Amino acid sequence: DWSKHRLLARMLDRAGLSREAYCCEIGCGTGIFLSELEKRGFRAVGIDTSEEAIRIASGRFRSSGLISVKNQTVDNLREKFDAVFMFEGLEHVREDEGLLSVISDNLLKDGGAFFMSVPAKQWLYSKADRYYGHLRRYEKKDLKEKLEKAGLDPVIFWSFGLLPVHLICQRLLFRRFYERNERNDDVASRTKDSGILKFPAIWKALYPIASKFYEAVLFIEKAFLNADIGYSYLVYCRKK
């Protein structure tokens, strides 16, 4: 997430959104990214199906004049936005092409911007994906085709995340956590919980060290963003 948010800030600068842009984040969780939009002076609404996540986010933005959060689904939105954001959300949805069409047709203004991230490479699908309610991971070609079919033209398509680090974390450090805590509840329940950032205790302990490590290597990763070698995709599109 640290790497993604640093890259997303760079992507937002390139997109050149107007300060008057009205934004929406689908699956806003506890409001971490909405805080970034608030700092940049954007008006935004965040939606999430998790009551607990919305409760936390509501407290975060209680005195904000720019940000509002709602416990609702995309189908209940009746507004048009200059920009829509959805991070680690599409992989939770069975009808992913249908959701992309709803975003393009019903939520985005003409020429509006869509920013998204998804886990990459189906061969990396693991117990961690199942734990967080992921139905799939994506291949670059397939994702581009789905976006274009929905009328969303990819402007920037970055592949990020160091594969060796991902494999070490998921296959070695966190493997026992996901094996011990394998879940048999439905995908909707796992999806709700995924927005509240429930991570293995070892990750919380290692995060300060990992953050410094990512900061040291991010300048290397930037040179390979257009190469399909990362474990996640970060995409900026414009509505055709």
Side-chain angles (χ1 to χ4, degrees), residues 19-30:
R19 288 294 292 270
E20 288 73 42
Y22 185 33
C23 307
C24 174
E25 184 182 7
I26 300 169
C28 65
T30 58

Side-chain angles (χ1 to χ4, degrees), residues 167-183:
L167 291 172
I168 289 172
C169 289
Q170 299 301 332
R171 305 294 168 87
L172 295 179
L173 295 181
F174 301 159
R175 181 177 179 180
R176 291 187 64 188
F177 170 86
Y178 294 118
E179 288 177 347
R180 289 197 307 266
N181 296 277
E182 189 166 0
R183 299 178 60 167

Side-chain angles (χ1 to χ4, degrees), residues 184-201:
N184 296 312
D185 50 352
D186 57 41
V187 171
S189 297
R190 283 175 272 159
T191 296
K192 284 184 179 183
D193 288 346
S194 70
I196 312 174
L197 301 178
K198 294 179 179 177
F199 294 115

Side-chain angles (χ1 to χ4, degrees), residues 22 70 72-81 102 106-107:
Y22 185 33
K70 301 176 181 179
Q72 66 179 77
T73 64
V74 171
D75 296 333
N76 296 323
L77 283 174
R78 296 293 181 266
E79 300 177 272
K80 290 275 190 176
F81 301 93
V102 168
N106 299 348
L107 302 187

